[in-house]
Amino acid sequence: MDDSTTELTERFERYCNTKDNDLPPEVLTELRLMLSLFSISPEELDFKWQAYMMKIGGEENKMDLKTARDFKKSIRDALERESRGKAQQQKNEAKRAAPTPRAKGGDMYDMLDGMIQTPRAGGLNSSAVKRRSNFDTPASKAHKNHEMSSPGGVLTPKADANGGPVFDFSSRQNAGDITEQLNGHIVLPEPPEEEEYPTEPRIKLKANTDMSKFSYKTMAMKLSEASEVLDDRIDEFRQLIQEHLDLEDSAFGNAAYQSPNEVIAVGRVCSDQSEGKLNTASLVLEGSRRWGSGRRVPLKLDALTSYNFFPGQIVALRGTNASGELFVVSEVLSLPLLTQPATTPSDFDTHNARYLDSSESNPENVRPLTIYIASGPYTTDQNLDFAPLHTLLDNAATARADSVILIGPFLDAEHPSIRSGDFDIPPHVTSPDQATMTDVFKHYISTALQSFTSRNPKCNIILVPNLRDAHHHAAAFPQDKFIKKELGLGAASKMVQCVTNPMTLSMNEFIVGMSSLDILDMLRREEIVGGKARGVNLYERGARNVIEQRNFLPLFPPTAREKLGIPAPIEEKPFKNGVANGEAAEAETDTETAEADDGPSPFLPFGTMLDTSYLKLGEMLNVRPDILITPSVLQGCVKVVESVLVINPGTLSKRRAAGTYARLIVRPATVSDEERERGVAVANKLWERARVDIVKI
């Protein structure tokens, strides 16, 4: 059995509904055929299958021979559409570049056309006659038939876009199933009886991020400031590496300078092409202005047995530049990590006392902490009922959760109804013509939080914003927190904490780092991997890069909007651009306009708007977090990487399917007598005493 067959079996057997989830031979044959036809790796085929499952709506569809063939047809159709789109684009560009044909014998610019009646075949000048006889209002050639047109018609989201079925959340299957688990031997705690409900919150929150710095003025970035931030980041890592390895200044050098001597070059990985994915041919190293003259030099990686690079990555490379044209890399040095978080025995005792529901509880039988983690969107693309959010909060209330971490987007600006404005104004708004998206947030989100806190009044709720939150004033990363007083939380505001994006905070003794950026998916799209690194799990590679780079957004520049998934389309009815459907065909008489309307929609995903001048606010400070929350559209997962518990809860709702969330159970720390006698800080080692479940909503 070759390597590709083994990897296909490992990746796709979990999708089969057979005994022991075995992969049928006929399905394996189809998968191997896809690898050959489309020239892709098993890993990429796995991601295409996950995307296909989200597209057709629902993870209940299992892989068999029929679905495998439908999957193959879907990939083939997508490639054909892409090919036709490129051909049409080239045709349009060639058409625009061609000169406008002129009648032979006319003046150069047709300035006299219609003014002088030159005898021609057919009598008078036909264009002049046409102009004199047409007194109607001319139609605009900028007429477009897509959702970003202005003026727009009555727009409604396509419930069955791409031919998928309408999804009914109440009839979902496999609700509550665990898709991935860590430390399953830790038993789920039973919720306390009503008379034993905690009288105080069992989790004490402390912000480790200075949130006041996030209220900066956006769209005021200066090129000089951004350049200094990027330069300083290279110099800081150079100093860290020098101190960590105890090296002299002479050990470092400029990779762009010609020299037969081996040196260590510290710089940023870049691509010498403005478009396309990073590859070995376009890979260059950019040095700082102080130590590398700000120059870029191509890299040669032939001597490396394993490598993993992505744009914006700070690396330390050992090698030579004998020719002066390229830097031959012989070794990639490991970057020093932040220290592991630790707590003194006395502080452990203080935090362990908070695990008791009341002063009368038995300290020998404490109830572990329960934390729910979810990431938006919180409703499907077909409606705004937010049923997944209500179900999550019901589950958390039943389990008497101690904390609920909700990561945006809440009101997703890419949702078809939000994008088109086709939704009902909340009934409590007295002036509908003055309603804002904040009023919509109050109606759909704040009321749900108020209901939850009335049932579980001692549970902390943490709200993390997202760049796609339609009601939020901050639309650039690093992102400021929600303004809590505007959210209309009422009595729930005491237990709701609005934090920034990203955020690092202490929950009792352990440290949690979180961001709403989908960094795992961005790294997957942009990275270049070779050698032994290919055998490392994708999630582990991405998490290790985030931890090593000490930044929640180590990728620079972020993934372009054009590379991200296109949001759900919008259906126009019963009017089309202000013209009735029956009249639309008569209105379109210009051939060039009709061809332009057939082009792709200009609406792109929001992407990652970045204010480079404040990129330092996205860094991890002082210590590694015990828990790193990295929500992603990729399948939910949990990994332990460099002593960090990395959790991807997935999205709570998909376009036409139910999603997943993470359930975290934390037991109190135990300190030995020997550790107490020493009196020094003890590593938290949260991954040993925490259970994590990725649960289907």
Side-chain angles (χ1 to χ4, degrees), residues 426-482:
H428 68 274
V429 178
T430 56
S431 301
D433 56 331
Q434 298 179 3
T436 64
M437 295 306 297
T438 303
D439 296 317
V440 181
F441 184 95
K442 294 177 183 178
H443 177 66
Y444 289 112
I445 308 298
S446 298
T447 53
L449 298 180
Q450 290 174 5
S451 175
F452 170 74
T453 53
S454 65
R455 300 168 58 188
N456 193 2
K458 301 304 178 183
C459 176
N460 291 300
I461 302 175
I462 301 171
L463 302 183
V464 184
N466 186 281
L467 298 178
R468 283 159 42 192
D469 275 309
H471 72 287
H472 195 21
H473 67 280
F477 183 88
Q479 189 178 22
D480 198 8
K481 61 183 178 180
F482 295 146

Side-chain angles (χ1 to χ4, degrees), residues 544-566:
R544 180 170 284 104
N545 284 327
V546 173
I547 295 170
E548 284 186 349
Q549 296 292 305
R550 308 183 179 195
N551 199 300
F552 289 95
L553 181 60
L555 184 70
F556 184 85
T559 301
R561 300 167 63 192
E562 294 81 1
K563 297 181 181 180
L564 301 176
I566 301 299

